[in-house]
CSV table of all heavy atoms in Angstrom, one decimal:
chain,number,residue,atom,x,y,z
F,71,SER,N,-11.8,22.6,-15.9
F,71,SER,CA,-12.8,21.9,-15.0
F,71,SER,C,-12.4,20.6,-14.5
F,71,SER,O,-11.4,20.1,-15.0
F,71,SER,CB,-14.1,21.7,-15.8
F,71,SER,OG,-13.9,20.7,-16.9
F,73,ASP,N,-14.0,17.8,-14.6
F,73,ASP,CA,-14.2,16.8,-15.7
F,73,ASP,C,-13.1,16.8,-16.8
F,73,ASP,O,-12.7,15.6,-17.2
F,73,ASP,CB,-15.5,17.1,-16.4
F,73,ASP,CG,-16.7,16.9,-15.5
F,73,ASP,OD1,-16.6,16.1,-14.5
F,73,ASP,OD2,-17.8,17.3,-15.9
F,85,ILE,N,-13.3,8.3,-10.7
F,85,ILE,CA,-12.4,8.5,-9.5
F,85,ILE,C,-13.2,9.2,-8.4
F,85,ILE,O,-14.2,9.8,-8.7
F,85,ILE,CB,-11.1,9.2,-9.8
F,85,ILE,CG1,-11.4,10.6,-10.2
F,85,ILE,CG2,-10.3,8.5,-10.8
F,85,ILE,CD1,-10.2,11.5,-10.2
F,106,ASN,N,-4.4,27.5,1.1
F,106,ASN,CA,-4.8,28.8,1.7
F,106,ASN,C,-4.3,29.9,0.8
F,106,ASN,O,-5.1,30.8,0.5
F,106,ASN,CB,-4.2,28.9,3.1
F,106,ASN,CG,-4.9,28.0,4.1
F,106,ASN,OD1,-6.1,27.7,4.0
F,106,ASN,ND2,-4.1,27.4,5.0
F,121,PHE,N,-4.3,27.9,-13.3
F,121,PHE,CA,-2.9,28.2,-13.0
F,121,PHE,C,-2.8,29.7,-13.2
F,121,PHE,O,-2.9,30.2,-14.3
F,121,PHE,CB,-2.0,27.4,-13.9
F,121,PHE,CG,-0.5,27.5,-13.5
F,121,PHE,CD1,0.0,26.6,-12.5
F,121,PHE,CD2,0.3,28.5,-13.9
F,121,PHE,CE1,1.3,26.7,-12.1
F,121,PHE,CE2,1.6,28.6,-13.5
F,121,PHE,CZ,2.1,27.7,-12.6
F,135,ALA,N,20.0,12.8,-25.2
F,135,ALA,CA,19.3,11.7,-24.6
F,135,ALA,C,17.8,11.7,-24.9
F,135,ALA,O,17.2,10.6,-25.1
F,135,ALA,CB,19.4,12.0,-23.1
F,140,LEU,N,13.6,8.8,-28.7
F,140,LEU,CA,12.5,8.8,-29.7
F,140,LEU,C,12.9,7.8,-30.9
F,140,LEU,O,12.1,7.5,-31.7
F,140,LEU,CB,12.4,10.1,-30.3
F,140,LEU,CG,11.9,11.3,-29.4
F,140,LEU,CD1,11.9,12.6,-30.1
F,140,LEU,CD2,10.6,10.9,-28.8
F,233,ARG,N,-13.6,-29.7,-3.8
F,233,ARG,CA,-13.2,-30.9,-3.0
F,233,ARG,C,-12.4,-31.9,-3.7
F,233,ARG,O,-11.5,-32.5,-3.1
F,233,ARG,CB,-14.5,-31.4,-2.2
F,233,ARG,CG,-15.1,-30.5,-1.2
F,233,ARG,CD,-16.5,-31.1,-0.8
F,233,ARG,NE,-17.5,-30.9,-1.9
F,233,ARG,CZ,-18.7,-31.1,-1.8
F,233,ARG,NH1,-19.2,-31.5,-0.6
F,233,ARG,NH2,-19.6,-31.0,-2.7
F,235,ILE,N,-10.6,-31.3,-6.3
F,235,ILE,CA,-9.3,-30.7,-6.6
F,235,ILE,C,-8.4,-30.8,-5.4
F,235,ILE,O,-7.2,-31.1,-5.5
F,235,ILE,CB,-9.5,-29.2,-7.1
F,235,ILE,CG1,-10.2,-29.2,-8.4
F,235,ILE,CG2,-8.0,-28.6,-7.3
F,235,ILE,CD1,-10.5,-27.8,-8.9
F,257,ARG,N,-15.1,-8.1,-17.7
F,257,ARG,CA,-15.5,-8.4,-16.4
F,257,ARG,C,-14.7,-9.6,-15.9
F,257,ARG,O,-14.7,-10.7,-16.6
F,257,ARG,CB,-17.0,-8.8,-16.4
F,257,ARG,CG,-17.5,-9.4,-15.0
F,257,ARG,CD,-18.9,-9.6,-14.9
F,257,ARG,NE,-19.5,-8.2,-14.7
F,257,ARG,CZ,-20.9,-8.1,-14.3
F,257,ARG,NH1,-21.6,-9.2,-14.3
F,257,ARG,NH2,-21.4,-6.9,-14.1
F,281,GLU,N,-8.6,-0.6,-22.4
F,281,GLU,CA,-7.7,0.4,-23.1
F,281,GLU,C,-6.4,-0.3,-23.4
F,281,GLU,O,-6.0,-0.5,-24.5
F,281,GLU,CB,-7.6,1.6,-22.4
F,281,GLU,CG,-8.7,2.7,-22.6
F,281,GLU,CD,-8.4,4.1,-22.1
F,281,GLU,OE1,-7.7,4.8,-22.8
F,281,GLU,OE2,-8.8,4.3,-21.0
F,300,PRO,N,-4.2,-11.7,2.7
F,300,PRO,CA,-4.7,-11.5,4.0
F,300,PRO,C,-6.0,-12.3,4.3
F,300,PRO,O,-6.3,-12.6,5.5
F,300,PRO,CB,-5.1,-10.0,4.1
F,300,PRO,CG,-5.1,-9.5,2.6
F,300,PRO,CD,-4.1,-10.4,1.9
F,332,TRP,N,-3.4,-8.3,15.8
F,332,TRP,CA,-4.2,-7.4,15.1
F,332,TRP,C,-5.3,-6.7,16.0
F,332,TRP,O,-6.0,-5.8,15.5
F,332,TRP,CB,-4.8,-8.1,13.9
F,332,TRP,CG,-3.8,-8.5,12.9
F,332,TRP,CD1,-3.7,-9.8,12.4
F,332,TRP,CD2,-2.9,-7.7,12.2
F,332,TRP,NE1,-2.7,-9.8,11.5
F,332,TRP,CE2,-2.2,-8.5,11.3
F,332,TRP,CE3,-2.5,-6.4,12.3
F,332,TRP,CZ2,-1.2,-8.1,10.5
F,332,TRP,CZ3,-1.5,-5.9,11.5
F,332,TRP,CH2,-0.8,-6.8,10.6
F,522,ALA,N,-14.0,18.8,20.0
F,522,ALA,CA,-14.2,18.6,21.4
F,522,ALA,C,-14.8,17.2,21.6
F,522,ALA,O,-14.5,16.5,22.6
F,522,ALA,CB,-15.0,19.6,22.0
F,524,VAL,N,-14.7,14.5,19.7
F,524,VAL,CA,-13.7,13.5,19.5
F,524,VAL,C,-12.6,13.4,20.5
F,524,VAL,O,-12.2,12.3,20.9
F,524,VAL,CB,-13.0,13.6,18.1
F,524,VAL,CG1,-12.0,12.6,17.8
F,524,VAL,CG2,-14.1,13.6,16.9
F,531,ARG,N,-10.5,6.6,25.9
F,531,ARG,CA,-9.7,5.5,25.4
F,531,ARG,C,-8.3,5.5,26.1
F,531,ARG,O,-7.6,4.6,26.4
F,531,ARG,CB,-9.5,5.5,23.9
F,531,ARG,CG,-10.8,5.1,23.2
F,531,ARG,CD,-10.7,5.4,21.7
F,531,ARG,NE,-11.9,4.9,21.0
F,531,ARG,CZ,-12.0,3.7,20.4
F,531,ARG,NH1,-11.0,2.9,20.3
F,531,ARG,NH2,-13.1,3.4,19.8
F,549,ASP,N,9.9,16.3,11.0
F,549,ASP,CA,9.3,17.6,10.7
F,549,ASP,C,8.7,18.2,11.9
F,549,ASP,O,7.6,17.9,12.3
F,549,ASP,CB,8.2,17.4,9.6
F,549,ASP,CG,7.6,18.8,9.1
F,549,ASP,OD1,8.0,19.8,9.7
F,549,ASP,OD2,6.8,18.7,8.2
F,557,VAL,N,-0.2,19.6,17.5
F,557,VAL,CA,-0.5,19.8,18.9
F,557,VAL,C,-1.4,21.1,19.0
F,557,VAL,O,-2.2,21.3,20.0
F,557,VAL,CB,0.7,20.0,19.9
F,557,VAL,CG1,1.5,18.7,19.8
F,557,VAL,CG2,1.6,21.2,19.4
Side-chain angles (χ1 to χ4, degrees):
S71 69
D73 289 342
I85 64 165
N106 293 323
F121 190 87
L140 297 180
R233 290 168 291 189
I235 296 174
R257 167 172 286 189
E281 277 191 81
W332 295 126
V524 176
R531 292 168 176 263
D549 184 354
V557 298

